[in-house]
Amino acid sequence: QVQLVESGGGLVQPGGSLRLSCAASGSIFLIYAMGWYRQAPGKQRELVATITNGGRRNYADSVKGRFTISRDNAGNTVYLQMSGLKPEDTAVYYCNAYGTPFDYWGKGTQVTVSS
């Protein structure tokens, strides 16, 4: 019922910046919040950031001050602006849409931080 399409992943040098985008389509009225998760090789998937329909934002401690989550005016697209990237940020990043009664996931986009 909800489709999520991610873009913006790639290779970036340490200290660089990158912006991820996630476009939602379908029954978007079901969505009350969106977020980003990431999963590094051999590790569990972890929450990076969330934003509610009311604009409240939450971040993992590891990315506070470096990452910013936002949504467009229509609420159809969520962004993750990443700055001061570190090698430990390397992971597959997944877009998540929190809906009623289900949650929806994108396919993931690879972010690699390396010299």
Side-chain angles (χ1 to χ4, degrees), residues 49-113:
T50 60
I51 184 167
T52 70
N53 288 351
R56 178 177 290 272
R57 297 170 171 88
N58 290 103
Y59 299 94
D61 289 340
S62 59
V63 307
K64 285 182 178 178
R66 300 189 298 119
F67 291 11
T68 301
I69 189 171
S70 61
R71 295 177 72 173
D72 63 11
N73 290 334
N76 295 337
T77 303
V78 64
Y79 304 94
L80 186 67
Q81 179 67 51
M82 304 184 292
S83 299
L85 284 163
K86 305 174 181 179
E88 52 263 44
D89 294 319
T90 296
V92 177
Y93 284 71
Y94 297 91
C95 180
N96 184 37
Y98 304 91
T100 302
F102 305 111
D103 295 338
Y104 303 90
W105 293 88
K107 64 184 183 300
T109 184
Q110 177 71 48
V111 173
T112 302
V113 184

Side-chain angles (χ1 to χ4, degrees), residues 2-24:
V2 175
Q3 301 173 43
L4 304 175
V5 179
E6 298 140 313
S7 62
L11 176 65
V12 64
Q13 294 183 350
S17 298
L18 202 63
R19 188 175 76 161
L20 305 182
S21 300
C22 175

